[in-house]
Amino acid sequence: MLTFHNVCLAPSSFQLTGIPGLESLHIWLSIPFSSMYLVAVVGNATILAVVRVEHSLHQPMYFFLCMLAIIDLVLSTSTMPKLLGIFWFGAGDIGLDACLAQMFLIHCFATVESGIFLAMAFDRYVAICNPLHHTTVLTHTMVGRLGITALCRGVLYIGPLPLMIRLRLPLYKTRVISHSYCEHMAVVTLTCGDSRINNIYGLSIGFLVLILDSMAITASYVMIFRTVIGLSTPEARLKTLGTCGSHICAILIFYVPIAVSSLIHRFGHQVPPPIHTLLANFYLLIPPILNPIVYAVRTKQIRERLLQILKTETKIK
């Protein structure tokens, strides 16, 4: 590690602090965090296994759900093992390239998840507003293309972030990151160079992903609700809206925590650091935990298949 003028450093690694201000409670915090991570892994792996073995679930909505499960596994696994290492062993040291790779995975797959929610909104729009064309429009090939498009968009949007830091901002005021993972703004605020381009680019990506995606999803649901209102009976309206319930819950679970965390990070200077860091971790943990639960509870086919598996295991025992 090189030092310049005793002020700026060119570190080869950083030191993550975990939950700053709550270091004395790290061992106790590891209990709920490890439990939530275990629930997230088991829940999403279960969704993948159920959809794989149940041929009646080989439909666009469930393929998108599998994509969400994979994304949630990547998001939680990119942060939680390292955080638990900090809690249990004080292993906060992380190499520069590993830090940038973690940053890329977190922001890239959060962007991909937003794209999948947009694709799911399109699926619900076609299924409800143009049901006769649903099977011809949302083919398995189209579902795959939508998933690949969401992935490519995430790589295209987020790829420049770690590259700009690596190439433009080699010097830092300190190597200690007051966070539990390498979040973009947490790293950029430590740099000695001009970070305005990074800040502007980060805000632009946030606008493109959060604002435009949510506006497109809202527009699709406005058209869906207009179609539902035109149905002849209340029972038909409730049944049709019921197919959208899980998707709406998952959207709120994803967008609300990430929006609150982003706003607090940029504008909530009066918020205590421990609260901010905890919220930042929760927005990476809450969707992976709740998405499988929401879909298992609200989706009849998944719920029935899970109950069937549990009954079979009980009989075997």
Side-chain angles (χ1 to χ4, degrees), residues 151-170:
L151 177 61
C152 291
R153 188 187 71 152
V155 173
L156 181 65
Y157 281 4
I158 305 303
L161 283 179
L163 289 177
M164 286 193 295
I165 292 176
R166 194 74 169 88
L167 300 176
R168 295 187 63 256
L169 302 171

Side-chain angles (χ1 to χ4, degrees), residues 160-275:
L161 283 179
L163 289 177
M164 286 193 295
I165 292 176
R166 194 74 169 88
L167 300 176
R168 295 187 63 256
L169 302 171
L171 303 179
Y172 296 82
K173 301 166 189 174
T174 176
R175 62 184 293 270
V176 178
I177 300 176
S178 297
H179 211 295
S180 57
Y181 58 84
C182 292
E183 200 272 339
H184 176 246
M185 288 304 300
V187 175
V188 168
T189 53
L190 303 181
T191 62
C192 292
D194 186 359
S195 62
R196 283 178 296 179
I197 294 177
N198 297 70
N199 292 330
I200 292 171
Y201 187 80
L203 284 171
S204 300
I205 294 302
F207 174 80
L208 286 172
V209 175
L210 288 177
I211 306 300
L212 295 186
D213 283 7
S214 59
M215 288 175 61
I217 292 171
T218 302
S220 70
Y221 270 98
V222 168
M223 291 184 282
I224 288 171
F225 290 143
R226 288 177 60 185
T227 300
V228 170
I229 290 172
L231 296 176
S232 56
T233 64
E235 291 78 9
R237 293 173 197 150
L238 288 174
K239 183 178 180 181
T240 305
L241 283 177
T243 63
C244 301
S246 301
H247 184 224
I248 293 173
C249 291
I251 288 172
L252 294 175
I253 290 168
F254 175 76
Y255 281 107
V256 172
I258 197 172
V260 170
S261 180
S262 298
L263 289 172
I264 288 177
H265 197 107
R266 296 184 184 278
F267 307 110
H269 303 296
Q270 303 303 318
V271 178
I275 301 299

Side-chain angles (χ1 to χ4, degrees), residues 116-138:
I116 296 300
F117 281 127
L118 182 56
M120 294 174 78
F122 175 66
D123 169 61
R124 291 298 85 205
Y125 165 76
V126 176
I128 294 172
C129 299
N130 296 285
L132 297 178
H133 296 91
H134 185 250
T135 55
T136 57
V137 174
L138 269 299

Side-chain angles (χ1 to χ4, degrees), residues 21 86 108 114 116 138 167 181 208 223 287 293 307-308 316:
I86 296 171
C108 176
S114 182
I116 296 300
L138 269 299
L167 300 176
Y181 58 84
L208 286 172
M223 291 184 282
I293 296 174
L307 291 174
Q308 182 182 350
I316 292 174

Side-chain angles (χ1 to χ4, degrees), residues 101-115:
Q102 186 187 57
M103 178 194 302
F104 171 78
L105 287 174
I106 292 168
H107 295 293
C108 176
F109 279 89
T111 303
V112 175
E113 184 157 3
S114 182

